[in-house]
Amino acid sequence: MDWVLIASLFWKFSLGLLLLALTALAGYMCATLGSLRNSLNSIRNTLNSAEHIVNHELGELLSDVDKTVKEVNKELPALLQHLNGLTASLQGISETELQPTAHNIREMSAVLNQSLQELESLVQKASQFSGETLEQAEFFRNQLAHSLADIVSLWQGIKAGWENFRASHAQDAPEAEETDG
């Protein structure tokens, strides 16, 4: 049997196996990229939902609270002025009736202050949630960058291996022709 024919068949068989392996690798890479794409779409949808909730719901709540606080602030000086006049009038009439009214006003102020503190706590929690959401998005973005870098490195390795294989095969082919001739 002719050695050139055997070498040619061996080379073609090896090349065929290599191409099958590369095809399987390409299929795996496509499936992995599809999975990454689905993950990114899921993250994007989650971020859009969180942004909508934060912007829409919390924005309306803060707007309503701001309006309420402004209205209370507008009417509070007038209320205090009337209260001072009433206090002077009631002090002349009856000290015993004024003290319970003042006590109720202090309780209302304490409740209002407590409500404002709770609202401030809610706003801080919403801000913290937004920050954590951004941190998670950055984490997933970094994970994707590492995966893409691994894919690029793998491709460069395959490409360099293929070029070395072609170069060594190109050198072996002229030597085989010289020994046959």
Side-chain angles (χ1 to χ4, degrees):
M1 207 175 205
D2 190 25
W3 287 105
V4 173
L5 178 64
I6 292 172
S8 174
L9 287 176
F10 177 73
W11 178 80
K12 289 178 182 177
F13 181 74
S14 299
L15 183 62
L17 287 177
L18 179 63
L19 290 175
L20 282 174
L22 286 175
T23 302
L25 177 63
Y28 174 74
M29 287 174 39
C30 288
T32 302
L33 288 175
S35 175
L36 285 173
R37 181 176 177 232
N38 289 340
S39 296
L40 288 176
N41 284 339
S42 175
I43 291 168
R44 182 180 48 203
N45 290 341
T46 303
L47 288 175
N48 287 341
S49 297
E51 181 182 11
H52 175 71
I53 289 170
V54 169
N55 287 342
H56 183 68
E57 301 297 329
L58 194 58
E60 287 181 9
L61 177 65
L62 291 176
S63 176
D64 290 344
V65 168
D66 187 47
K67 288 177 186 176
T68 303
V69 168
K70 285 180 181 177
E71 288 177 16
V72 167
N73 284 341
K74 285 179 186 176
E75 295 182 17
L76 193 57
L79 179 61
L80 289 175
Q81 193 174 31
H82 291 295
L83 185 60
N84 287 338
L86 180 61
T87 302
S89 299
L90 289 176
Q91 199 169 25
I93 299 172
S94 172
E95 292 268 333
T96 58
E97 293 178 23
L98 181 60
Q99 290 176 357
T101 303
H103 184 286
N104 289 340
I105 291 173
R106 282 192 293 270
E107 285 180 356
M108 281 182 16
S109 296
V111 169
L112 181 61
N113 285 337
Q114 183 180 4
S115 297
L116 288 176
Q117 288 173 352
E118 290 174 359
L119 179 62
E120 183 178 340
S121 172
L122 177 65
V123 169
Q124 287 175 350
K125 286 179 183 177
S127 295
Q128 181 182 5
F129 173 77
S130 177
E132 290 173 359
T133 302
L134 291 176
E135 288 175 7
Q136 287 293 325
E138 182 178 343
F139 170 77
F140 285 116
R141 183 196 69 211
N142 290 341
Q143 291 294 78
L144 177 63
H146 289 298
S147 297
L148 290 176
D150 290 344
I151 291 170
V152 169
S153 297
L154 177 64
W155 174 249
Q156 288 176 348
I158 290 171
K159 185 178 172 183
W162 177 250
E163 287 175 3
N164 284 339
F165 176 76
R166 279 189 22 205
S168 68
H169 180 67
Q171 289 175 355
D172 291 344
E175 291 175 10
E177 288 177 12
E178 287 176 9
T179 58
D180 288 340

